[in-house]
């Protein structure tokens, strides 16, 4: 499920994928991982992402990693976009990174121009980085990194878009399976989720069918489509555009690309159910119009039934969902937050937890400085071997391991520790030892008085870990 | 996601390296100086694990660099230290409180219904908390939106947990060792020849 949703963000999934993705749904996560790894242009956080993914649950890690890369990357590099544009920019980047399945590298220049001129919002700005001419990488990689905008100029895009439109239905599926020319053989995995999505929207079949034919005029038409939130647009001559935007959304929007579609509230419901992931995508402000932009760098949000289709409210809704997702993750991380509901209380807990962790660090460093004044090196070296022998990831394990160390068990570890100690003792003269130990005990005693909260702290952390 | 053992090990290695570099400021200095040096090296180790990918790590390195530039640079020498330290952070978001308060008063005058007031109050609470979170997380003021803030908080919490785990394990092991050596030394002085045999007795 996660993979499907995640894959859906790669919106410019050309229909070429259609036949292929059915066969390879499982590799989607691997593909995403590869993409996250290999994407050279944006940042160097891919290594970090890779670490995370190998360690954590793969799905969530991939998700988080991609999101974190997207989240973290734009801010340092694109400081000129500020305010409300931040999120949209992120989403544009997300789309741009994820969606480049389009194989066409031809019309990149043309595509960049159009959205700029049209939309006043930050969403209009295309991705600043042109497709990296990395032909050395695999084709898949290159396809991924080429901007999404390119394939909007693809003459066959209308067909593909129509097919992948969420408003398409099973008939779409049939059509996609049979008719789609498959140029891009590499990026196939992404569509598995999309096709299932497509099947959920039967309403716009009629809408979509006329669009299948106009391939070449599509690019022309979308430019002429006026930007605006009028709901009649899709139904009228701008019929390609909504399907276009929808398809683009489908392909690009994470967790079900949504466009604020006036028709088919039920459809929206279904789409809404699908979207759970963070980074859903900002609402596309120009919902019906601007078909070229959606493939490029927009994540489209569908308006829920009974809710305003205002671009602002849509964007807000997406943002709220994103925040909700992050809060859920934080809930898992911060102990004792399962019972807390509501943002304010959760934030309170998070603040307290972070502060307590910081205080712990301070206290532990103080303790370490008092305990280990001259033997820091010895301790650290010896402890490295100990820690390696006792790999542990939480406090309790550490304590157990250490207890086993300090107790007189005749484990291999114990023998090693004794060996270490025996090596240490000759190094330190007995006089020195005698001098040091009383000093240490003195210091520890004086410090212990000031650190009377140490036991409470450990109890606190123990209770936290137990929660 | 909980901190994993590999993260712990990485942090430990980095921290060890940092402690070696900070050795001169650790030897023969007061407890406070030592504590400062230890904490500094631990913070830099924690932040360098992220290799400049997250906002908080960059902000933390900047903060530590202001305290002891040379040593921090030495510690980060292997990891594009200059780039990290000199990396430009996004501008701090400064909100002039007076202006914000005035505008809020104006807004409040307009909406007087009970439900709106409750919602507004909730919003205020949340805003206050997010501001508190920004103060706690390093580099929080530099993050432009809440989503980013929460993301950074997640990462920061995980890193803090690894730091605390490793530090605690070292402290506990060191304490245990001290106990052992103290009681062993007492025995050793009495029965030097039986030192190796006395260890099991004193633990």
């Amino acid at each position: 499920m996660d993979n499907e949703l995640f894959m859906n963000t790669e919106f410019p999934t050309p229909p070429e994928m259609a036949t292929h993705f059915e066969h390879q749904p499982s590799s989607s996560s691997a593909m995403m991982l590869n993409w996250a790894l290999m994407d050279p242009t944006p940042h160097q956080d891919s290594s970090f992402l890779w670490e995370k993914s190998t360690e954590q649950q793969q799905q969530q890690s991939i998700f988080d990693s991609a999101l974190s890369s997207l989240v973290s990357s734009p801010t340092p590099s694109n400081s000129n976009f500020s305010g409300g544009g931040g999120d949209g920019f992120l989403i544009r980047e997300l789309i741009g990174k994820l969606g480049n399945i389009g194989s066409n590298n031809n019309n990149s220049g043309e595509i960049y121009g159009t959205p700029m001129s049209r939309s006043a919002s930050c969403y209009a700005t295309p991705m600043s980085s042109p497709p990296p001419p990395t032909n050395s990488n695999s084709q898949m990689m290159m396809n991924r990194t080429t901007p999404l905008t390119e394939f909007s100029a693809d003459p066959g895009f209308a067909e593909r878009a129509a097919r992948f439109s969420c408003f398409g239905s099973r008939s779409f599926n049939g059509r996609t399976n049979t008719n789609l020319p498959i140029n891009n053989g590499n990026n196939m995995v992404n569509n598995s989720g999309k096709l299932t999505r497509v099947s959920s929207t039967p309403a716009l079949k009629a809408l979509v069918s006329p669009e299948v034919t106009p391939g070449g005029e599509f690019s022309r038409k979308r430019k002429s489509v006026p930007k605006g939130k009028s709901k009649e647009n899709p139904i009228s001559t701008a019929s390609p555009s909504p399907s276009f935007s929808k398809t683009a959304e489908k392909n690009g929007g994470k967790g079900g690309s949504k466009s604020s579609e006036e028709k088919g509230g039920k459809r929206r419901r279904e789409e809404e159910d699908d979207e759970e992931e963070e980074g859903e995508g900002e609402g596309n402000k120009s919902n019906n119009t601007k078909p070229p932009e959606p493939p490029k760098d927009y994540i489209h949000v569908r308006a829920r039934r009974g809710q305003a289709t205002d671009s602002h409210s849509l964007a807000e809704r997406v943002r709220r969902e994103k925040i909700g997702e992050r809060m859920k993750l934080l809930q898992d991380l911060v102990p004792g937050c399962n019972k807390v509901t509501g943002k304010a209380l959760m934030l309170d807990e998070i603040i307290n937890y972070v502060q307590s962790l910081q205080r712990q660090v301070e206290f532990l460093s103080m303790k370490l400085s008092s305990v280990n004044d001259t033997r820091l090196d010895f301790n650290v070296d010896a402890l490295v071997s100990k820690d390696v022998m006792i790999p542990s990831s939480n406090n309790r394990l550490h304590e157990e391991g250490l207890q086993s160390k300090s107790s007189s068990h005749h484990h291999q570890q114990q023998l090693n520790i004794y060996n270490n100690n025996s090596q240490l003792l000759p190094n330190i003269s007995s006089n020195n030892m005698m001098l040091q130990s009383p000093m240490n005990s003195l210091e520890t005693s004086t410090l212990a008085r000031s650190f009377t909260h140490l036991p409470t702290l450990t109890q606190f952390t123990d209770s936290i870990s137990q929660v | 996601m909980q901190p994993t053992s590999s993260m712990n090990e990485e942090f430990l290695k980095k921290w060890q390296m940092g402690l070696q570099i900070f050795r001169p400021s650790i030897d023969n200095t007061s407890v406070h100086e030592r504590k400062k040096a230890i904490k500094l090296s631990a913070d830099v180790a924690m932040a360098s694990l992220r290799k400049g990918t997250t906002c908080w790590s960059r902000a933390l390195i900047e903060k530590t660099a202001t305290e002891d530039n040379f040593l921090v640079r030495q510690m980060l020498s292997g990891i594009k230290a200059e780039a990290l330290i000199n990396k430009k952070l996004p501008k701090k978001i400064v909100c002039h409180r007076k202006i914000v308060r005035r505008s809020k008063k104006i807004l409040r005058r307009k909406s007087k219904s009970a439900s709106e007031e409750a919602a507004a109050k909730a919003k205020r609470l949340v805003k206050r908390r997010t501001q508190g979170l920004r103060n706690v997380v390093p580099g929080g003021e530099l993050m432009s939106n809440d989503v980013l803030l929460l993301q950074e908080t997640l990462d920061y919490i995980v890193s803090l947990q690894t730091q605390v785990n490793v530090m605690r394990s070292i402290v506990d092991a060191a304490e245990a060792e001290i106990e052992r050596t103290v009681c062993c030394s007492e025995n050793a002085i009495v029965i030097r020849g039986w030192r190796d045999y006395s260890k099991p007795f004193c633990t």
Side-chain angles (χ1 to χ4, degrees):
Chain A
M1 177 67 170
D2 279 356
N3 286 338
E4 279 186 7
L5 292 171
F6 197 57
M7 288 308 115
N8 287 331
T9 57
E10 320 199 15
F11 68 74
T13 51
E16 302 96 15
M17 311 284 191
T19 57
H20 292 266
F21 69 82
E22 285 165 354
H23 306 313
Q24 311 168 9
S26 58
S27 56
S28 58
S29 62
M31 299 269 282
M32 284 312 300
L33 201 57
N34 287 338
W35 163 76
L37 278 180
M38 297 196 293
D39 199 3
T41 37
H43 349 275
Q44 303 112 3
D45 51 4
S46 54
S47 59
F48 161 61
L49 300 173
W50 175 245
E51 284 173 17
K52 269 174 87 170
S53 56
T54 50
E55 291 162 2
Q56 327 294 343
Q57 306 160 7
Q58 195 184 11
Q59 286 181 355
Q60 185 183 1
S61 64
I62 293 168
F63 205 61
D64 286 345
S65 59
L67 284 171
S68 66
S69 73
L70 292 164
V71 167
S72 59
S73 60
T75 45
S77 56
N78 302 301
S79 52
N80 47 350
F81 296 107
S82 61
D87 277 352
F89 196 77
L90 292 178
I91 293 182
R92 261 174 285 133
E93 292 278 293
L94 167 68
I95 296 288
K97 283 188 214 164
L98 292 174
N100 273 320
I101 307 184
S103 53
N104 305 326
N105 298 330
N106 314 331
N107 308 322
S108 53
E110 170 195 334
I111 309 267
Y112 282 122
T114 49
M116 248 321 193
S117 54
R118 276 218 248 153
S119 90
S121 73
C122 56
Y123 291 147
T125 53
M127 295 183 299
S128 53
S129 64
T134 58
N135 289 322
S136 58
N137 289 346
S138 69
Q139 174 107 26
M140 164 176 71
M141 202 42 217
M142 193 180 62
N143 288 335
R144 283 249 163 69
T145 53
T146 55
L148 299 171
T149 62
E150 292 170 354
F151 84 82
S152 57
D154 192 357
F157 184 84
E159 294 188 12
R160 283 185 251 134
R163 285 178 196 137
F164 281 95
S165 165
C166 49
F167 304 108
S169 67
R170 288 156 198 97
S171 65
F172 259 167
N173 288 337
R175 230 178 298 146
T176 54
N177 291 335
T178 56
N179 304 337
L180 295 177
I182 294 176
N183 310 327
N184 194 359
N186 295 329
N187 306 329
M188 28 197 86
V189 284
N190 312 317
N191 300 334
S192 53
K194 284 180 202 142
L195 272 196
T196 56
R197 287 283 161 75
V198 170
S199 62
S200 68
T201 60
L204 280 188
K205 226 197 294 188
L207 236 182
V208 178
S209 43
E211 297 133 11
V212 179
T213 47
E217 3 170 325
F218 193 53
S219 53
R220 276 178 272 131
K221 266 192 184 175
R222 62 164 197 264
K223 285 184 190 176
S224 64
V225 169
K227 76 179 204 178
K229 306 162 191 175
S230 66
K231 303 192 173 184
E232 290 73 36
N233 278 345
I235 309 172
S236 63
T237 58
S239 54
S241 56
S243 66
F244 193 118
S245 59
K246 288 166 210 158
T247 56
E249 299 159 6
K250 246 335 231 265
N251 302 337
K254 219 177 204 193
S257 54
K258 313 161 250 181
S259 62
S260 73
E261 181 58 33
E262 36 299 299
K263 327 174 159 183
K266 313 166 211 166
R267 194 180 41 255
R268 286 174 213 156
R269 285 266 177 73
E270 293 166 6
E271 294 297 331
E272 290 301 329
D273 295 341
D274 292 337
E275 42 167 301
E276 314 158 352
E277 308 302 334
E278 36 183 337
E280 273 298 345
E282 299 287 359
N284 186 12
K285 290 200 174 162
S286 60
N287 299 324
N288 307 324
T289 64
K290 308 186 189 146
E293 293 82 350
K296 213 189 302 189
D297 47 9
Y298 287 90
I299 293 182
H300 300 275
V301 184
R302 180 165 302 139
R304 284 207 184 106
R305 181 184 181 138
Q307 287 191 3
T309 55
D310 200 28
S311 67
H312 291 289
S313 57
L314 272 176
E316 260 188 51
R317 188 158 59 84
V318 168
R319 179 179 153 275
R320 260 182 275 139
E321 282 163 2
K322 265 199 204 171
I323 289 181
E325 278 296 319
R326 300 280 195 304
M327 297 285 281
K328 277 189 211 152
L329 288 173
L330 277 168
Q331 245 184 345
D332 296 334
L333 204 58
V334 177
C337 264
N338 303 325
K339 308 132 191 171
V340 173
T341 51
K343 261 198 223 172
L345 294 170
M346 263 296 301
L347 285 172
D348 230 5
E349 285 293 314
I350 292 167
I351 290 174
N352 288 340
Y353 187 59
V354 171
Q355 277 175 339
S356 80
L357 283 176
Q358 286 174 340
R359 270 183 265 127
Q360 265 186 307
V361 168
E362 288 251 359
F363 172 71
L364 285 171
S365 65
M366 175 70 86
K367 194 141 188 259
L368 210 58
S369 70
S370 74
V371 160
N372 269 340
D373 52 355
T374 57
R375 284 173 296 190
L376 204 57
D377 281 344
F378 302 122
N379 280 334
V380 171
D381 290 338
L383 285 166
V384 167
S385 54
K386 286 178 201 171
D387 278 348
V388 167
M389 288 186 296
I390 308 172
S392 55
S393 62
N394 59 25
N395 301 339
R396 227 176 287 152
L397 280 178
H398 271 157
E399 287 163 14
E400 287 167 11
L402 293 168
Q403 281 165 14
S404 73
K405 277 185 225 161
S406 54
S407 68
S408 59
H409 295 181
H410 297 287
H411 295 159
Q412 191 63 33
Q413 302 166 356
Q414 292 299 313
L415 292 176
N416 287 337
I417 292 165
Y418 289 145
N419 289 337
N420 284 337
N421 283 342
S422 62
Q423 285 163 14
L424 284 174
L425 281 173
N427 293 338
I428 305 169
S429 67
S430 58
N431 294 339
N432 208 7
M433 271 284 291
M434 287 305 294
L435 283 173
Q436 293 292 342
S437 43
M439 238 172 55
N440 284 339
S441 55
L442 259 179
E443 275 183 337
T444 46
S445 62
T446 52
L447 286 168
R449 262 181 268 129
S450 58
F451 299 145
T452 48
H453 60 280
L454 165 62
T456 58
L457 249 185
T458 50
Q459 287 163 15
F460 174 62
T461 51
D462 284 348
S463 65
I464 278 183
S465 57
Q466 284 162 12
V467 165
Chain B
M1 68 178 104
Q2 299 292 327
T4 64
S5 58
S6 69
M7 288 204 282
N8 289 348
E9 283 170 24
E10 272 183 46
F11 172 74
L12 184 61
K13 282 183 208 153
K14 283 250 166 76
W15 189 28
Q16 261 186 282
M17 188 183 79
L19 285 173
Q20 296 293 329
I21 292 174
F22 276 78
R23 195 104 274 275
S25 57
I26 290 182
D27 285 340
N28 307 325
T29 48
S30 72
V31 173
H32 289 288
E33 289 293 316
R34 279 205 299 272
K35 172 228 165 190
K36 231 173 120 180
I38 287 174
K39 181 159 188 290
L40 207 66
S41 61
D43 285 343
V44 176
M46 178 174 75
S48 67
L49 277 182
R50 288 291 173 253
K51 300 193 182 77
T53 52
T54 54
C55 193
W56 67 263
S57 59
R58 288 195 293 271
L60 190 60
I61 288 176
E62 279 249 352
K63 216 189 296 179
T64 56
T66 56
E67 295 182 23
D68 198 341
N69 208 348
F70 177 64
L71 288 178
V72 169
R73 275 172 195 270
Q74 244 189 317
M75 198 169 152
L76 295 169
S77 57
I79 325 163
K80 32 177 182 164
E82 306 303 319
L84 273 177
I85 292 180
N86 296 334
K87 217 169 191 179
K88 275 192 184 167
L89 297 164
K91 269 198 312 183
K92 268 197 186 182
I93 297 166
V94 177
C95 294
H96 297 281
R97 282 193 193 157
K98 273 190 187 172
I99 297 172
V100 171
R101 274 189 212 145
R102 270 185 216 151
S103 59
K104 279 188 183 169
K105 274 185 202 166
I106 294 169
L107 283 172
R108 261 179 243 163
R109 273 181 223 138
K110 290 183 181 170
S111 69
K112 289 281 187 177
S113 74
S115 63
E116 282 178 19
E117 275 178 4
K121 200 165 190 182
K123 270 192 192 171
R124 254 179 282 142
L125 276 178
V126 170
K127 269 202 172 170
R128 201 161 288 170
R129 302 281 199 274
T130 49
Q131 186 59 42
L133 192 57
R134 278 175 208 269
N135 295 336
V136 173
V137 173
E141 291 91 7
L142 310 161
M143 296 173 209
S144 49
N145 54 351
D146 291 345
V147 177
L148 181 65
L149 178 68
L150 288 180
Q151 187 77 23
E152 297 279 325
T153 309
L154 265 174
D155 195 52
Y156 184 57
I157 284 178
V158 172
S159 307
L160 272 180
Q161 280 175 342
T162 54
Q163 194 183 26
V164 165
N165 283 344
V166 171
M167 284 180 92
R168 181 177 292 128
S169 66
I170 285 191
V171 164
D172 289 346
E175 277 192 323
E177 192 190 319
I178 282 179
E179 282 178 29
R180 222 181 294 117
T181 53
V182 164
C183 88
C184 287
S185 67
E186 290 167 358
N187 290 343
I189 287 167
V190 173
I191 309 170
R192 274 202 191 216
W194 295 87
R195 191 191 316 164
D196 294 339
Y197 299 99
S198 70
K199 275 179 204 148
F201 299 136
C202 67
T203 51

